Amino acid sequence: MKISLIIPCHNEEKAIPFLYEELDKVSKELSKYEMEFLFVNDGSTDGTIEILRELAAKDVRIHYYSFSRNFGKEAAMYAGFCNAAGDYVAVMDADLQDPPSLLPEMVRILEEEDYDSVATRRVSRAGEPPIRSFFARQFYKLINKISDVDIVDGARDYRLMKRSMVDAVVQLQEYNRFSKGIFGWVGFKTCWLPYENTKRVAGETNWSFWKLFKYAMDGIVNFSQVPLTIASYCGVFLTFVSFIAILFVVIRKLIFGDPVAGWASLVCIITFLGGVQLFCIGIMGQYISKTYLETKKRPHYIISESNDEDVTAVH
Ligand code: UDP
Ligand code: MG
């Protein structure tokens, strides 16, 4: 039995040595399994690649894949899935916020119980700015209302999956990837392990508020068509309102004659309608731009350096 651990790294030179130490420890606990560590260097601008080269030279379990530029964590995970050989595959952050110490328990659950994957969720968001937690919570509420797939609040990307599930995830080749949705979409029986949030061991978070916001929007557009429906409902509603307004104006004209007044209210109505129209076109634009990117069928990632000979370098 082989376990593959995928570790996306973007500027993690400070964290990787700590992580490696921990990984070494748990792999001793899991000594009856063969292990491989797949480090994906996602266009780091610091010394991450040198550290990976060094580690790979002294430990044969380490494979590293270095992207030609920053493609994002989703692409890094995908590259990992495409190149992982294990019967069990896990994704883990480089900063020890996904505690490797949970691994033995995760492996035990897959072995002994009837599950295809073990996922983790944070039960607390301690150590995170409150405003970020607030928006995150609202996002999960919203997306679960308007999307068919279940997306669990506090779910991490940290999960251990059986081969069958990994193959399914690799089969979903969309360019705009949102893993939290993809894991839910493919189905399979998932066991949820709750744990307390921990601070990152070293280095800094790669996610600004703006980046997270865009990621959340991507999640919504990728896994829900509800915004499009909202746009058409807006249209239906406004047509109805204007119909009533026309009736009102005509009847008033017939009964009371023709008082010329009300340009101010007209301007208000025109700007309001202009706004609603632009909003709806904007929503459609979001979906069209996604479709545009999908139809180009560009690769998710390009690997420029690796110590693995049979690497899938572009996919
Ligand atoms: N990451 C990546 N590419 C990026 C951004 C992040 O591979 O463009 C990796 C990063 O190195 C880390 C993981 O994704 O291993 C999670 O990132 P981070 O810890 O910055 O996110 P947070 O835990 O703050 O949400
Ligand atoms: Mg982190």
Side-chain angles (χ1 to χ4, degrees):
M1 279 295 224
K2 191 171 191 175
I3 302 177
S4 309
L5 291 185
I6 299 166
I7 302 135
C9 310
H10 177 66
N11 294 344
E12 301 283 8
E13 62 175 1
K14 295 206 190 78
I16 290 173
F18 293 105
L19 174 73
Y20 179 67
E21 223 171 274
E22 289 294 315
L23 289 181
D24 207 38
K25 256 187 240 158
V26 283
S27 57
K28 283 190 187 111
E29 257 176 83
L30 291 166
S31 54
K32 68 174 178 144
Y33 299 90
E34 197 186 331
M35 304 278 275
E36 63 170 7
F37 307 126
L38 286 74
F39 286 87
V40 183
N41 173 29
D42 181 16
S44 301
T45 46
D46 65 354
T48 300
I49 182 66
E50 279 90 28
I51 294 188
L52 293 181
R53 280 191 205 120
E54 266 168 46
L55 286 178
K58 64 177 193 201
D59 189 337
V60 290
R61 295 171 300 177
I62 291 189
H63 302 265
Y64 66 87
Y65 306 92
S66 192
F67 284 178
S68 58
R69 66 171 169 85
N70 179 253
F71 279 88
K73 186 186 174 188
E74 290 289 340
M77 292 197 291
Y78 189 63
F81 290 136
C82 292
N83 288 291
D87 304 290
Y88 295 155
V89 179
V91 187
M92 186 187 278
D93 282 5
D95 55 6
L96 286 177
Q97 277 186 312
D98 299 334
S101 53
L102 288 177
L103 259 186
E105 171 67 6
M106 291 161 93
V107 174
R108 188 198 63 76
I109 293 175
L110 281 198
E111 289 273 276
E112 292 171 13
E113 289 170 40
D114 182 26
Y115 286 109
D116 301 298
S117 108
V118 186
T120 56
R121 54 182 275 266
R122 294 187 292 181
V123 283
S124 69
R125 288 177 168 272
E128 194 183 62
I131 180 114
R132 181 183 281 197
S133 307
F134 172 77
F135 278 106
R137 261 192 220 108
Q138 299 310 314
F139 164 72
Y140 284 109
K141 262 194 208 147
L142 179 69
I143 194 156
N144 277 313
K145 272 213 188 91
I146 65 175
S147 148
D148 308 333
V149 292
D150 244 359
I151 295 171
V152 176
D153 186 4
R156 305 277 304 171
D157 292 327
Y158 182 31
R159 62 163 74 214
L160 185 71
M161 288 173 274
K162 282 189 180 159
R163 189 77 244 170
S164 47
M165 184 164 177
V166 178
D167 289 341
V169 169
V170 171
Q171 278 304 308
L172 269 77
Q173 296 183 355
E174 61 223 71
Y175 186 77
N176 299 285
R177 295 184 78 76
F178 182 68
S179 285
K180 289 184 172 66
I182 289 176
F183 293 144
W185 193 92
V186 294
F188 293 97
K189 270 186 82 179
T190 301
C191 169
W192 288 94
L193 273 189
Y195 75 99
E196 293 284 325
N197 192 31
T198 44
K199 284 212 175 88
R200 93 183 340 269
V201 59
E204 267 163 40
T205 174
N206 290 290
W207 295 83
S208 63
F209 187 78
W210 181 234
K211 240 173 137 182
L212 274 177
F213 180 76
K214 277 186 14 202
Y215 185 63
M217 286 300 137
D218 274 353
I220 291 176
V221 174
N222 289 344
F223 280 92
S224 169
Q225 276 90 41
V226 170
L228 280 175
T229 322
I230 292 174
S232 32
Y233 283 165
C234 269
V236 172
F237 175 72
L238 284 170
T239 313
F240 182 71
V241 170
S242 71
F243 187 68
I244 304 269
I246 291 168
L247 273 185
F248 174 76
V249 170
V250 169
I251 290 170
R252 196 175 64 165
K253 156 83 181 157
L254 291 179
I255 298 175
F256 300 105
D258 185 27
V260 179
W263 70 270
S265 50
L266 255 186
V267 170
C268 293
I269 292 167
I270 291 171
T271 42
F272 172 68
L273 286 185
V276 172
Q277 281 173 348
L278 282 180
F279 175 69
C280 294
I281 293 175
I283 291 177
M284 276 189 266
Q286 287 293 318
Y287 285 87
I288 292 173
S289 73
K290 298 268 172 207
T291 317
Y292 177 58
L293 281 175
E294 295 293 346
T295 53
K296 286 193 198 183
K297 293 228 181 301
R298 287 195 177 154
H300 298 86
Y301 62 85
I302 298 168
I303 291 173
S304 59
E305 184 192 329
S306 170
N307 64 338
D308 188 347
E309 279 142 29
D310 5 273
V311 58
T312 321
V314 179
H315 190 63

